Amino acid sequence: NAGVTQTPKFQVLKTGQSMTLQCAQDMNHEYMSWYRQDPGMGLRLIHYSVGAGITDQGEVPNGYNVSRSTTEDFPLRLLSAAPSQTSVYFCASRQTGTSGYTFGSGTRLTVV
Amino acid sequence: AQSVTQLDSQVPVFEEAPVELRCNYSSSVSVYLFWYVQYPNQGLQLLLKYLSGSTLVKGINGFEAEFNKSQTSFHLRKPSVHISDTAEYFCAVTTPAGGGADGLTFGKGTHLIIQP
């Protein structure tokens, strides 16, 4: 099915470990973004990209890196995981000239 | 920068009763407004959106919302709720494409609890 695919769905990390959360879309959307969802906080923007090779920081970028080498993929990297990064992460995309964002099903990350 | 305030963190309602979930926003430029629904352990699904034009917007599952520019509000309503409407509801705002940083600014969410 077309849409935004996130992997893995669940992950447990130890403090200090690194990992990459994957996000891929097959709708040829230019815009992609990462959010984290914490209880009582809603969703907060981590990083976003307006096209291949272009990324920028959102509201809560510290501790996360991104890159956008292709239109389809927008991975989120945690270089040294911390318990404060325990959260549910959502990837979203939209097409240029439209306002409709499509969300992935999320990755639940626990850092112990 | 924009901000969104959802005035109620939790709203209990009896089945078949009407409901209103409140949302206020703040922005120095024109905005697009959205309501999303999140069912337990799932992603976000778009209920409806306001871009321009008619201030009354109809969405899926019988929901509607009214944009009020003078009150900077975008309240969500449903005339008769069902058990299946139990979920978390998020109000969100963004600026029109090209108006600044991309991405949505979300409120903290309202948990709608339907009581039989």
Side-chain angles (χ1 to χ4, degrees):
Chain A
N1 293 334
V4 179
T5 302
Q6 291 185 238
T7 56
K9 293 190 182 301
F10 302 94
Q11 183 71 48
V12 178
L13 287 179
K14 294 182 178 179
T15 298
Q17 285 186 317
S18 63
M19 80 159 295
T20 300
L21 279 64
Q22 302 291 345
C23 175
Q25 51 89 11
D26 57 3
M27 299 172 285
N28 202 32
H29 284 178
E30 289 293 319
Y31 293 80
M32 298 186 74
S33 48
W34 277 101
Y35 297 83
R36 60 177 288 172
Q37 183 181 22
D38 302 293
M41 298 294 293
L43 283 81
R44 291 178 292 170
L45 182 65
I46 304 171
H47 285 284
Y48 65 95
S49 170
V50 300
I54 307 169
T55 64
D56 207 343
Q57 296 180 350
E59 180 186 355
V60 288
N62 292 341
Y64 307 95
N65 284 346
V66 292
S67 60
R68 184 95 179 272
S69 56
T70 66
T71 299
E72 294 78 20
D73 300 297
F74 190 43
L76 179 72
R77 298 183 183 85
L78 285 71
L79 298 180
S80 179
S84 61
Q85 294 178 304
T86 293
S87 188
V88 181
Y89 292 85
F90 288 99
C91 180
S93 70
R94 73 171 178 88
Q95 181 58 281
T96 306
T98 73
S99 58
Y101 292 81
T102 301
F103 281 81
S105 59
T107 295
R108 186 175 293 274
L109 176 68
T110 301
V111 183
V112 298
Chain B
Q2 310 93 23
S3 66
V4 176
T5 302
Q6 291 185 242
L7 297 161
D8 304 296
S9 60
Q10 196 165 288
V11 174
V13 182
F14 286 107
E15 195 172 14
E16 298 184 7
V19 69
E20 178 180 83
L21 305 184
R22 297 180 294 169
C23 172
N24 286 93
Y25 70 93
S26 174
S27 177
S28 58
V29 299
S30 61
V31 295
Y32 294 157
L33 293 156
F34 305 81
W35 275 99
Y36 284 86
V37 60
Q38 184 180 34
Y39 299 104
N41 299 313
Q42 294 189 24
L44 276 74
Q45 181 181 4
L46 180 66
L47 275 177
L48 48 79
K49 60 185 177 182
Y50 171 79
L51 306 181
S52 64
S54 173
T55 57
L56 183 62
V57 180
K58 294 190 182 298
I60 62 172
N61 301 342
F63 284 93
E64 63 180 31
E66 186 157 17
F67 171 61
N68 187 320
K69 189 173 182 180
S70 63
Q71 301 288 328
T72 60
S73 67
F74 191 54
H75 300 334
L76 180 71
R77 302 185 184 98
K78 186 170 183 178
S80 176
V81 296
H82 303 284
I83 288 286
S84 59
D85 292 323
T86 296
E88 193 82 16
Y89 291 79
F90 293 98
C91 182
V93 64
T94 190
T95 56
D102 195 70
L104 294 162
T105 299
F106 284 87
K108 294 184 178 181
T110 297
H111 189 197
L112 179 60
I113 302 168
I114 310 300
Q115 301 168 326

